[in-house]
Amino acid sequence: MRTATVLLIAACAGSARAADPVDFRTQVYPVLHDRCFRCHQGADAKSGIRLDRRTDVLAYARPGRPDQSRLIAVVESDDPDTKMPPAGARLTAAQVKTLRAWVEQGVTWDDTLLPPATAAAKHWAFQPVRRPAVPGPGNPIDAFVLAKLREKNLTPAPPADPRVVLRRLALDLTGLPPTPAEVDAFLADRDADAYEKQVERLLASPAYGERWGRHWL
């Protein structure tokens, strides 16, 4: 009688543990992240199977039906053609048990870790890289800045005097103001690339290395 009671209590305890809710953030996500996302994440996921979006997982995992779940079948399989992961160490028994319980409990999710597809599609980090058209002539950076200023109904500052431009450039690169002779040479240079030539001259000067070497060292 005592033995039967002990076995009954142990069975009840085991049932209670099996019914404990699986925490997606701490139990499921680490398994998916470490063992699945390398191949099954993003738009170029292998076989078109994405495990980073709940809408895709719902179709693949069959919530509430672990015995009919393709996800559970491949992580439990020993067939070299279907087992997952296809190479490297297999999922541990505990990890497989966690995934099975997760599927059985309805495939809970955490939108903070893995946003829904609709939200992710709008996030800047998920947008394809495109080269926008430059919104004006001249230096592309200046053109974009000017376009944004106009969008905000702001007026850009007027161009600085050539003496001020050279002084700012010299102080920034070397920490020293330009000499009168350097200012005169800059003002007398009518070439379109006069400013660029001053940049190259200052970058090649020992003073540039002396100034920035303190930061590099």
Side-chain angles (χ1 to χ4, degrees):
M1 181 66 178
R2 181 176 299 175
T3 301
T5 302
V6 171
L7 292 176
L8 178 61
I9 293 173
C12 291
S15 298
R17 285 193 296 271
D20 289 343
V22 175
D23 183 80
F24 179 84
R25 175 179 286 270
T26 61
Q27 295 176 271
V28 177
Y29 179 78
V31 179
L32 297 178
H33 181 274
D34 295 343
R35 306 306 309 278
C36 306
F37 283 174
R38 181 178 179 182
C39 299
H40 298 291
Q41 181 183 34
D44 58 347
K46 288 187 177 180
S47 302
I49 298 173
R50 294 187 58 170
L51 298 181
D52 58 335
R53 296 195 309 193
R54 189 167 189 263
T55 51
D56 295 65
V57 173
L58 290 175
Y60 189 64
R62 298 297 298 273
R65 302 178 180 180
D67 291 330
Q68 300 177 23
S69 170
R70 178 62 178 164
L71 173 64
I72 301 304
V74 296
V75 297
E76 291 182 340
S77 174
D78 291 322
D79 186 338
D81 295 328
T82 60
K83 68 177 183 178
M84 291 291 160
R90 303 299 307 280
L91 268 61
T92 66
Q95 289 172 330
V96 173
K97 183 177 180 181
T98 294
L99 292 180
R100 173 174 277 275
W102 177 55
V103 171
E104 186 171 16
Q105 294 174 17
V107 185
T108 56
W109 204 255
D110 189 323
D111 289 340
T112 303
L113 286 173
L114 297 172
T118 53
K122 299 178 181 179
H123 193 279
W124 68 265
F126 295 96
Q127 304 308 311
V129 177
R130 295 188 178 93
R131 183 180 293 277
V134 178
N139 185 287
I141 296 177
D142 292 339
F144 281 109
V145 171
L146 182 59
K148 184 59 68 173
L149 288 173
R150 289 172 175 166
E151 180 184 312
K152 302 296 182 181
N153 295 318
L154 298 174
T155 303
D161 180 89
R163 292 179 176 83
V164 175
V165 171
L166 183 60
R167 182 178 177 84
R168 290 174 178 172
L169 178 64
L171 288 173
D172 184 49
L173 294 183
T174 67
L176 300 171
T179 66
E182 291 169 344
V183 173
D184 291 341
F186 179 55
L187 295 177
D189 192 343
R190 301 302 178 185
D191 290 346
D193 60 346
Y195 177 79
E196 287 74 8
K197 287 192 291 185
Q198 291 298 317
V199 172
E200 294 297 331
R201 178 183 66 81
L202 291 168
L203 289 176
S205 69
Y208 171 73
E210 292 166 357
R211 171 173 170 74
W212 292 100
R214 293 178 299 157
H215 302 286
W216 299 332
L217 296 175

